[in-house]
Amino acid sequence: MIRQVGDDFVKRYRLRYNLEALERVKKEIGERAYSRLKALLEYRLTGKDFDRSPIDVKIALAFSAGSDSTASLKILSWVGFEVVPVTVKLPQMGERVLEKARKAGAVFVEVPNYLEVITAQIEKGAPICGQCHSMVMKAVEDHARSRGIKMVASGDLLSSGLISIYKKGDLVVLNFPAFLALDKAELIGVIGGGYKLSFGCPLLWELFRRAPSTKRLSIQRVLRETRARALTPEMAAELIVDILSR
């Protein structure tokens, strides 16, 4: 389902650093989860196969039905975790996205006052992605706590090193694609290919319309992911053109 990183220096460096992060949360996640995640990292580094039989460890996954979270769901399930996809129902989500989430068996949760908070940011011409991400992850974390789930995963591609997996209060947060140094092309391959690249959502595009200067922040995000080898230069160019066209 996923391949080894070979001689890619940047990815090998990220994976070794992520091993250090995993050691820091060994006590919090327990031996079964620790051993399985360590074996997965070593598989990425060396190709050494490992036991992928189901283990009784639940992970709540922030599930948007996009390529990153869909691939994360498939890989975590393949590895043997019991994954609970949690979709935070947002006003900008269309029926097609919601149907994908339903088919994946997602649990739906909501964020009180989400639209009011984001609209206020847009009216000020202020960035919204960080605020949106924080609100979404809080909703997923709250749901995990209500179910007694101790690990929460995201489809973040960029958060490597000590923030690829870390303790947050009574939870452990796993930024899964970043933890495995997976790139966008690999994730698209996991879900079957044929994915149309696009940046942002209708609310972000409305911010771009009102405050065009905020496009630079999105472009900077694309460039950071490119430097981390999460995007190819060709993908980055396609996303930047998409941002500029909004």
Side-chain angles (χ1 to χ4, degrees):
M1 177 167 285
I2 59 174
R3 62 178 184 269
Q4 293 71 58
V5 295
D7 296 327
D8 189 312
F9 174 81
V10 172
K11 289 188 176 183
R12 294 187 72 84
Y13 176 83
R14 291 179 68 188
L15 288 167
R16 291 193 182 103
Y17 198 4
N18 295 348
L19 275 168
E20 293 182 30
L22 179 61
E23 292 296 327
R24 291 177 175 230
V25 297
K26 180 178 180 179
K27 180 179 177 182
E28 284 75 18
I29 65 177
E31 183 60 35
R32 286 173 297 173
Y34 165 79
S35 297
R36 192 58 57 92
L37 289 174
K38 184 176 181 182
L40 184 56
L41 284 177
E42 290 174 346
Y43 176 77
R44 280 284 277 170
L45 281 165
T46 68
K48 180 182 177 183
D49 206 359
F50 62 100
D51 178 17
R52 293 189 294 276
S53 59
I55 57 174
D56 186 23
V57 176
K58 289 185 178 181
I59 297 181
L61 171 67
F63 188 76
S64 68
S67 60
D68 304 344
S69 61
T70 300
S72 295
L73 174 60
K74 289 191 172 187
I75 299 168
L76 283 166
S77 300
W78 173 71
V79 170
F81 288 99
E82 183 179 346
V83 189
V84 180
V86 182
T87 298
V88 180
K89 194 172 181 181
L90 303 177
Q92 63 267 39
M93 286 180 170
E95 183 55 36
R96 185 179 176 187
V97 171
L98 297 175
E99 183 58 27
K100 284 183 179 180
R102 291 187 197 103
K103 286 183 178 179
V107 175
F108 288 92
V109 298
E110 298 195 13
V111 177
N113 303 317
Y114 172 86
L115 192 57
E116 290 87 343
V117 172
I118 297 301
T119 299
Q121 290 286 99
I122 292 173
E123 289 174 350
K124 291 188 294 185
I128 63 172
C129 292
Q131 181 75 53
C132 176
H133 178 76
S134 295
M135 295 171 76
V136 165
M137 289 307 298
K138 183 179 184 304
V140 176
E141 291 162 9
D142 288 346
H143 179 78
R145 290 187 181 97
S146 73
R147 294 290 189 90
I149 300 173
K150 299 300 182 183
M151 292 182 66
V152 172
S154 82
D156 192 333
L157 283 159
L158 196 56
S159 300
S160 62
L162 298 182
I163 54 172
S164 64
I165 183 169
Y166 63 96
K167 183 180 179 183
K168 183 179 180 182
D170 56 341
L171 299 174
V172 170
V173 176
L174 170 62
N175 293 309
F176 191 60
F179 179 75
L180 291 182
L182 288 161
D183 60 49
K184 192 76 168 182
E186 289 178 290
L187 295 174
I188 292 172
V190 168
I191 65 174
Y195 186 82
K196 178 175 171 51
L197 287 175
S198 178
F199 194 97
C201 70
L203 290 178
L204 182 62
W205 304 334
E206 175 61 17
L207 174 64
F208 289 164
R209 189 185 69 79
R210 290 180 180 234
S213 64
T214 58
K215 292 181 180 182
R216 64 184 172 81
L217 301 174
S218 296
I219 292 172
Q220 287 169 359
R221 173 77 186 194
V222 170
L223 294 176
R224 287 199 301 273
E225 291 188 351
T226 306
R227 287 193 295 270
R229 302 286 182 88
L231 294 173
T232 64
E234 294 77 17
M235 287 179 170
E238 188 174 343
L239 288 170
I240 289 171
V241 169
D242 184 62
I243 291 166
L244 293 174
S245 70
R246 300 293 177 178

